[in-house]
Each structure stands twice: as C-alpha cells, then as structure tokens.
Amino acid sequence: MILEIIATHIRDVKAACEYGADRIELCVGMKEEGFTPSFGLIESALEIATVPINVIIRSHSQSFFYEPAEVDTMVRDIRMVRKLGTNGIVIGALTEDGRVDVEVMKRLLNEAEELDVTFHRASDFSRNLEETLEVLTQFKQVKRILTAGGRKPATESVPTIKRLMELAENTHLNIMPGYGLRVETFKEFYDDIRPTEIHFGSGVREDNSFMKQIEQKKVEKIKQMFK
C-alpha cells in the first residue's frame, strides 16, 4: 500500500517524510482545489525529501479547462520540475463540456517524458467518470487516476470507486481514492475496497484542516491499518 500525503509547504514535506508517507503530492492553494507551487518551494522540498515528490501542474484554479496560453504555462512548469529532478507530476485537463481534453493531455505528456503521472481530481468534475477512465487508457504515461468517485467525499461514493477499480483491472491505470477521507472512518472504507494506493490531504491534519499541521499519530494510525 502506498500512502500519498499532500504537502503545501516545507514543514509539511518534513513532517510527511518523518511520519511515514510513501509519496508526497506538492500542492498549494487547497481552498481552490490546488495549483502549482513556486520554484523555490519545489526546489527546497526536493532538497529535504526522503520520499518521491509529485508536483501538481495547474495554471489556475477557476476550472479544469485551459486556454492555449495557460497550457503553455503548464508545459513550462513541467519542463522546470523535470529539470529539477522531481519524481512526477499531477495533471488533468477537461474540455468546456467536461470531456478529457485529449489535445492538452498530449501536449503535457509530451513534455513529461518519463515522469510519474497522476490524473488528478479533474476526473471527478468530468461529465462521466467511466468515460474519463476509458479515454485515459490511451495515455500509457498516466499511471493512476485520483478520484473520490465524484464530487462528494470518497467514503460516500464506494460503489462508484469499486466500479472504476473493476474497469481499470485490465488496463495500465490504477485507481487511487482520495478526498474527504478521515482517520476515524478509514478502516471500514479501506477494508471495503482494498486499494493499492491512497491519498490523504486534510484528513491527516489537526482538526482535519489544511490550516493546521500534519499529525504524526494520524499518519501512524493509517499505516497501521495497512498491516
């Protein structure tokens, strides 16, 4: 089981590594569904991290639709994180009518080269999750889809997540549940779907808030459930 934890600043990176994260998603602006961190934060995080770091690439937080100039910005950001030596990127793009934007994905993945790639929760804002999964099967660089099974917390969408996991079984894609997970209810959720990767954000923090610090006891409790 891989436990991925969101880090929004350098203290988060340090704590996530020390407390047992297997991978970090580096992301800022969580109140706005997240966007690309600064060069300085990425470079500093890479200097101290002891686990792989995947950086979110999102040029604005208004939607998951991007105009050409915004795509250019993301291409440059991917080039930057690749040169810095980042493990991977977290990306996603939709058309205005909620389909996977195939052309934008091609441009981003062309720049990504061998980076580890996650398609982020743009999936949950797409017009149809099963359609999104099917389209993403054409992109062998995309290793996983981060999803809550819709716009509600993942614990409220178990049947949908199970269905996506079934559909992904014979593909190269992995389904990584995330969003709204809480330590108090995680054991039942985990036992029900048995994912191989899991994504935690606010749920490993004091008061389940991105405004607070990552709690060691919460991370350790989650890791214990995997055993």
Side-chain angles (χ1 to χ4, degrees):
M1 166 62 68
I2 293 174
L3 172 61
E4 179 177 275
I5 291 178
I6 293 175
T8 63
H9 51 73
I10 204 68
R11 281 178 291 168
D12 278 354
V13 174
K14 186 173 184 291
C17 292
E18 289 181 355
Y19 300 161
D22 299 300
R23 186 174 63 229
I24 289 171
E25 179 189 311
L26 194 63
C27 185
V28 295
M30 295 312 301
K31 287 185 177 181
E32 301 171 276
E33 303 291 343
F35 50 86
T36 309
S38 70
F39 176 98
L41 176 55
I42 298 168
E43 189 171 42
S44 297
L46 289 169
E47 287 175 356
I48 70 165
T50 56
V51 300
I53 292 181
N54 288 2
V55 178
I56 193 167
I57 304 294
R58 191 173 179 219
S59 59
H60 67 74
S61 57
Q62 294 178 350
S63 70
F64 297 100
F65 169 72
Y66 306 101
E67 296 182 351
E70 295 163 342
V71 178
D72 289 342
T73 298
M74 292 193 290
V75 167
R76 294 179 183 187
D77 283 337
I78 293 171
R79 186 176 305 144
M80 181 253 306
V81 301
R82 182 165 48 80
K83 288 180 178 179
L84 285 174
T86 305
N87 178 71
I89 54 173
V90 183
I91 60 175
L94 303 178
T95 60
E96 290 184 281
D97 63 352
R99 305 168 188 258
V100 175
D101 195 323
V102 172
E103 294 308 311
V104 171
M105 288 297 296
K106 285 179 180 178
R107 283 202 62 198
L108 300 181
L109 291 169
N110 183 60
E111 189 63 47
E113 296 184 357
E114 299 304 316
L115 290 174
D116 182 70
V117 180
T118 301
F119 191 90
H120 57 48
R121 284 196 63 234
S123 60
D124 292 332
F125 293 81
S126 66
R127 68 176 195 169
N128 184 285
L129 275 163
E130 293 187 18
E131 177 188 65
T132 294
L133 188 154
E134 183 178 358
V135 172
L136 291 175
T137 60
Q138 71 182 276
F139 297 115
K140 301 304 180 183
Q141 288 166 278
V142 179
K143 298 298 190 295
R144 68 194 63 82
I145 302 173
L146 170 60
T147 179
R151 302 190 188 187
K152 295 180 180 179
T155 49
E156 298 179 31
S157 305
V158 170
T160 302
I161 295 173
K162 282 184 173 181
R163 174 60 179 161
L164 293 172
M165 291 175 73
E166 289 174 3
L167 291 172
E169 276 184 4
N170 296 318
T171 76
H172 68 282
L173 292 165
N174 192 27
I175 300 300
M176 179 171 66
Y179 177 65
L181 296 176
R182 299 290 180 258
V183 174
E184 299 77 17
T185 57
F186 180 63
K187 184 65 165 64
E188 181 180 356
F189 177 81
Y190 174 71
D191 287 344
D192 198 5
I193 67 172
R194 290 286 173 172
T196 57
E197 297 181 273
I198 200 77
H199 174 92
F200 265 86
S202 60
V204 292
R205 297 167 184 270
E206 297 173 19
D207 300 327
N208 297 316
S209 170
F210 276 112
M211 301 301 290
K212 302 291 183 68
Q213 302 298 312
I214 296 172
E215 284 193 82
Q216 183 173 359
K217 288 182 179 179
K218 286 188 173 182
V219 177
E220 290 176 348
K221 189 172 182 178
I222 294 166
K223 297 284 285 188
Q224 191 63 36
M225 293 178 195
F226 299 160
K227 297 180 180 179

